[in-house]
Amino acid sequence: SRDEQDEERKQRIRRLMSLATLVTCGTRPLADLLAQEVPVIATKFEIVPDALENVRGYAASASLMDRARLWRVRFFLRRNTGALHLVWFGKCKKGSAGIEHLDPVVRLIETLPLGRAVTFTVISNRRKIFRRCASRWRVPKFYLPWSLATFDAALRLFDVTVIPVDRNGYTVGKSINRPATALMAGLGVIADPIPAYEELSPFIYLGEWERGLTEFSQTEPTKDDRIVAARSYLRSRYDSAVVADRWAEVIRLALAGNDPSDSA
């Protein structure tokens, strides 16, 4: 059965991990979760964070359809000039990719006495789920199919990204990738609190949905000084060169752990 196959796969992964000299994880909470599953590796973890994503180079591969879709989202935003342009982005191989978690955010947007109109765009690979959820939304909305060729250019058109998160065993171990991507593109961020996001609390609205929406609606989010500070902070810790140095350090530790002279 599928359950038996899943359990067999888990047991195989546990056995492989128990043989490792070192185990790398992107976040400490994820390491803690894995240690609960495989206690023997609890002292073998080294944290190596994800490097900042760089998707700008994919724009050169944009197809005619990609360019047409970018034109349509720009037209939608121009048609709502002066509004606060919100975006949510996410891609997954199966399931809803979290789109169903947007309903409470949209309800809040529709009930708050904000300083200006709001638009809401979803960048995803789940059009049918978007249509089902968005049929309940009164706010002007737009759907942009996910594409590496258009993602960077599209993201930079918006003011704020919203990141509602269902707190569970999977999301507790997530990295800062999503808010970091938005901040590096110059967007403000409002997100639900999970352990990894706490690091970015000086730069984003963490769990403060009403305050974040209200204040962003009264200002120009992309001119927020905190975004400039956030980008400098992220580069200092998650630039590809910084993460590469961390990988080199971990590899040296692994090789030292396998050195026969250590046990002589």
Side-chain angles (χ1 to χ4, degrees), residues 31 49 54 68 72 79 91 108 117 135 154 162 199 209:
N54 180 8
R72 285 199 290 266
R79 202 172 60 202
K91 181 178 182 289
L108 184 60
S135 65
V162 294
E199 178 184 354
W209 287 93

Side-chain angles (χ1 to χ4, degrees), residues 44-254:
K44 297 182 178 182
F45 284 106
E46 293 292 337
I47 307 303
V48 183
D50 293 338
L52 294 171
E53 287 199 39
N54 180 8
V55 296
R56 304 195 76 171
Y58 290 95
S61 63
S63 65
L64 183 61
M65 178 62 75
D66 288 328
R67 293 193 289 272
R69 286 168 173 168
L70 268 179
W71 182 88
R72 285 199 290 266
V73 72
R74 289 190 180 104
F75 180 77
F76 166 75
L77 297 176
R78 284 198 301 269
R79 202 172 60 202
N80 293 276
T81 298
L84 178 68
H85 299 309
L86 304 182
V87 64
W88 178 92
F89 59 90
K91 181 178 182 289
C92 74
K93 294 181 180 179
K94 60 181 179 179
S96 66
I99 295 176
E100 80 281 3
H101 300 140
L102 297 176
D103 276 347
V105 177
V106 176
R107 283 198 298 270
L108 184 60
I109 292 168
E110 294 175 341
T111 56
L112 281 176
L114 299 176
R116 53 178 160 152
V118 174
T119 70
F120 201 102
T121 296
V122 168
I123 304 175
S124 177
N125 61 330
R126 288 291 180 267
R127 185 189 295 271
K128 290 182 179 179
I129 296 174
F130 166 79
R131 286 177 174 170
R132 185 177 70 237
C133 294
S135 65
R136 302 186 288 268
W137 304 347
R138 299 192 307 274
V139 64
K141 63 260 186 182
F142 189 87
Y143 176 85
L144 179 66
W146 178 278
S147 167
L148 276 175
T150 60
F151 176 69
D152 181 71
L155 189 61
R156 294 172 188 273
L157 298 173
F158 298 93
D159 299 311
V160 176
T161 189
V162 294
I163 311 175
V165 182
D166 182 26
R167 193 181 179 101
N168 55 47
Y170 171 72
T171 59
V172 163
K174 289 177 71 69
S175 72
I176 63 168
N177 178 273
R178 192 171 294 195
T181 298
L183 288 166
M184 293 304 295
L187 279 69
V189 175
I190 311 172
D192 278 331
I194 58 174
Y197 293 179
E198 295 289 344
E199 178 184 354
L200 298 176
S201 59
F203 314 113
I204 68 178
Y205 289 97
L206 202 55
E208 298 180 296
W209 287 93
E210 185 169 337
R211 180 187 171 199
L213 288 167
T214 300
E215 294 191 2
F216 277 141
S217 72
Q218 297 170 352
T219 62
E220 290 294 327
T222 55
K223 296 180 181 179
D224 191 330
D225 290 341
R226 291 181 303 171
I227 296 176
V228 176
R231 294 169 79 173
S232 176
Y233 173 82
L234 288 167
R235 288 191 187 99
S236 72
R237 293 179 61 89
Y238 300 103
D239 182 78
S240 58
V242 176
V243 175
D245 286 343
R246 176 60 179 148
W247 271 113
E249 179 184 2
V250 169
I251 291 170
R252 285 194 295 269
L253 287 171

Side-chain angles (χ1 to χ4, degrees), residues 12-27:
R12 185 164 62 249
I13 292 172
R14 291 187 181 105
R15 288 195 298 271
L16 288 171
M17 292 179 68
S18 69
L19 298 174
T21 301
L22 290 178
V23 181
T24 63
C25 281
T27 68

